[in-house]
Amino acid sequence: MFVVPLIERKRDGGTLTPEEWSALIAAYTAGEVPDYQMSALLMAVLWRGLERAELAALTDAMLASGSRLTFDGWDTRRVDKHSTGGVGDKVSLVLAPLVAACGVAVPMISGRGLGHTGGTLDKLEAIPGFRTGLTLAEAKSQVQQLGCAMLGQSPEVAPADRKLYALRDVTATVEAIPLIAASIMSKKLAEGLTALVLDVKRGSGAFLPSLDQGLELAQTMIALGEDRGCSTVALLTAMDRPLGRACGNGLETEEAIMALRGEGPPDLMEVTYALGVEMLLAAGVEKSSAKARTKLENALGSGLAAEKFERIIEAQGGNPAIVEDPAVLPQAQAVEIFEAPETGVVTRVDPRLIGRTVVAMGGGRQRVEDTIDPAVGFVITVKPGDKIVAGEPIASVYARDAAGISLGCQALADAITIGDRLREKPLPLVSHRVSNAGVEPLGREPGGRRKG
Ligand code: URA
């Protein structure tokens, strides 16, 4: 395939036809277009954007690059959620078993860490033996038996996205609304879903930090889903600070397990419940948000959700003992407590710097072929607005060696800023609900406005 004219046209602000997108994605998936040409095209898309018809064609081509899960004749409603990516975002690990424990089927296809953000697959693979590479046939049978399977993109599922995702991760081409939308929706539409709930992150740690970008991304994905028969809603959630306390794959898995055992940090639980309520409403198993919330709380409080996670781990070859004893997870060689350097109020915990440092410490990929260390990362116990006293422990660094500890401590010193008072209010944890009916503000914006 002669790709240079397509790159030139996109570079110069033109459009590619649906047939060109389809041929290009098929050729790239087949290995007939080299990564360097695709990188150039992705960069041109990042700068120039895509017309609506181009985005539809790209998404359909990525979806068509693989097979789909089909559940013909099975009436159980199937709902999944997907996040646009954050730091400390282990919601999927809590939410999938929790919602499955409420009787909704959750066929969850997730991605790996991307840029400074973590990925559900990497967190699951911190569990010794856990196999994310299920075939679609295995995933289908597990969903029908257990109500949930958590898998990655095998070459069967949107393989074009699998390749593009890895390429974007290392070519600074993640931050583009059409590329994120096509990536997420091509995976999700392959799951044979009845409905999809999106968690669109906003704030400095999100790929697209501004509220307007978040809303545009949400609306773009909702249109792609609805046009393809998958009822889709989105919640905009805060990513101006890490979610929960743990950042780093194994540490986040441990925090997710503690959450399933009823000991999750309040911010993680609030976001998890908000998304879970939307999933239960979308599945039609409850009619009101209040009833859906109670159902979720009961499933968690009764231990059913934790038990469901154990069954999922066991079915996917992992060691289910980690749910009882998270110490079975890989442990870091070196650990250091980080103390507050001064007395005052925490004014900021910079999620991007924390996420980048987890990658630099070996917890993420800097090149496509990198393997990651599941044990490294941070546990940060303070949030913006907390009062702290000099010398008080406010975080821990988990690293491979002394060099990792010093990198981690330096990052904490830079990422956690302390002042005499909070100058800028943190974003509301869940600020907007977006559906094809429009945008509903849920939280008060830091400046006092409610943007709808
Ligand atoms: N998550 C995805 O699956 N793809 C993106 O491009 C960004 C976040």
Side-chain angles (χ1 to χ4, degrees):
M1 181 169 196
F2 198 31
V3 182
V4 175
L6 304 184
I7 302 173
E8 282 172 350
R9 199 174 335 134
K10 199 73 234 169
R11 180 199 65 194
D12 297 340
T15 57
L16 273 54
T17 65
E19 295 71 29
E20 284 170 334
W21 276 114
S22 166
L24 177 71
I25 295 301
Y28 178 63
T29 311
E32 290 155 15
V33 173
D35 280 346
Y36 54 81
Q37 285 189 317
M38 190 48 93
S39 309
L41 184 74
L42 290 170
M43 191 55 87
V45 172
L46 186 135
W47 281 103
R48 294 294 190 173
L50 290 182
E51 299 280 324
R52 199 184 163 115
E54 290 188 281
L55 174 61
L58 172 63
T59 308
D60 288 337
M62 287 165 69
L63 177 59
S65 69
S67 315
R68 293 174 182 222
L69 272 171
T70 48
F71 293 94
D72 299 337
W74 193 52
D75 331 319
T76 306
R77 313 253 314 160
R78 299 167 303 277
V79 184
D80 190 13
K81 88 93 205 181
H82 196 86
S83 150
T84 55
V87 176
D89 179 8
K90 67 284 292 174
V91 168
S92 289
L93 274 67
V94 189
L95 192 59
L98 175 58
V99 170
C102 295
V104 177
V106 185
M108 183 177 270
I109 298 175
S110 306
R112 299 197 174 278
L114 188 64
H116 63 284
T117 69
T120 299
L121 287 189
D122 296 327
K123 294 172 219 219
L124 288 169
E125 286 176 1
I127 300 171
F130 195 99
R131 194 163 70 86
T132 55
L134 301 185
T135 63
L136 285 184
E138 286 171 323
K140 177 175 175 173
S141 116
Q142 186 174 316
V143 169
Q144 289 185 313
Q145 278 168 33
L146 272 184
C148 180
M150 302 176 83
L151 59 149
Q153 285 156 286
S154 64
E156 277 179 300
V157 180
D161 178 57
R162 197 164 109 124
K163 281 187 83 176
L164 288 168
Y165 191 90
L167 188 61
R168 288 167 57 220
D169 190 19
V170 292
T171 55
T173 49
V174 173
E175 291 88 348
I177 288 176
L179 297 180
I180 297 177
S183 163
I184 291 179
M185 296 310 287
S186 63
K187 282 191 282 281
K188 298 289 119 175
L189 291 165
E191 292 176 344
L193 297 176
T194 334
L196 172 64
V197 177
L198 295 163
D199 177 3
V200 177
K201 302 289 184 196
R202 57 179 287 223
S204 59
F207 286 123
L208 302 171
S210 79
L211 173 58
D212 290 339
Q213 289 171 311
L215 290 173
E216 189 183 336
L217 177 60
Q219 284 163 329
T220 305
M221 292 192 289
I222 289 167
L224 284 170
E226 296 280 344
D227 287 350
R228 284 155 189 77
C230 176
S231 156
T232 307
V233 297
L235 294 182
L236 260 69
T237 71
M239 191 34 69
D240 55 342
R241 66 267 190 197
L243 184 64
R245 301 183 185 117
C247 302
N249 295 298
L251 296 163
E252 291 188 46
T253 303
E254 176 169 352
E255 188 168 82
I257 290 168
M258 297 315 288
L260 283 165
R261 288 170 34 173
E263 292 166 43
D267 58 344
L268 172 63
M269 296 321 296
E270 187 175 331
V271 173
T272 304
Y273 281 133
L275 292 161
V277 164
E278 292 297 334
M279 290 172 80
L280 296 197
L281 294 177
V285 298
E286 287 298 350
K287 295 270 172 289
S288 77
S289 302
K291 282 195 175 152
R293 169 86 184 220
T294 306
K295 194 174 192 104
L296 293 162
E297 285 175 354
N298 289 343
L300 197 118
S302 64
L304 272 179
E307 200 183 300
K308 182 66 79 178
F309 196 40
E310 255 174 20
R311 298 285 76 77
I312 296 166
I313 295 172
E314 197 173 31
Q316 297 191 218
N319 182 354
I322 66 147
V323 177
E324 286 299 316
D325 178 15
V328 175
L329 287 163
Q331 303 293 315
Q333 298 294 315
V335 181
E336 180 131 329
I337 307 279
F338 180 83
E339 292 169 352
E342 56 186 291
T343 296
V345 173
V346 175
T347 53
R348 183 164 160 66
V349 181
D350 179 349
R352 214 169 255 265
L353 180 54
I354 293 296
R356 281 203 191 121
T357 310
V358 172
V359 175
M361 286 161 73
R365 292 173 193 80
Q366 309 201 43
R367 287 170 308 173
V368 175
E369 63 278 13
D370 285 352
T371 51
I372 60 172
D373 183 339
V376 304
F378 300 99
V379 172
I380 303 171
T381 50
V382 287
K383 297 277 173 199
D386 286 354
K387 291 195 176 103
I388 51 172
V389 176
E392 176 187 335
I394 56 173
S396 307
V397 185
Y398 296 79
R400 283 178 182 153
D401 49 28
I405 293 287
S406 107
L407 192 67
C409 287
Q410 185 56 52
L412 287 173
D414 294 338
I416 304 177
T417 43
I418 302 163
D420 53 352
R421 67 188 166 86
L422 198 57
R423 289 200 157 69
E424 202 180 318
K425 274 187 84 182
L427 293 173
L429 266 175
V430 183
S431 67
H432 294 78
R433 179 180 191 276
V434 190
S435 69
N436 60 356
V439 177
E440 187 190 337
L442 303 171
R444 191 158 286 283
E445 291 296 301
R449 82 202 154 112
R450 287 169 84 90
K451 172 149 188 174

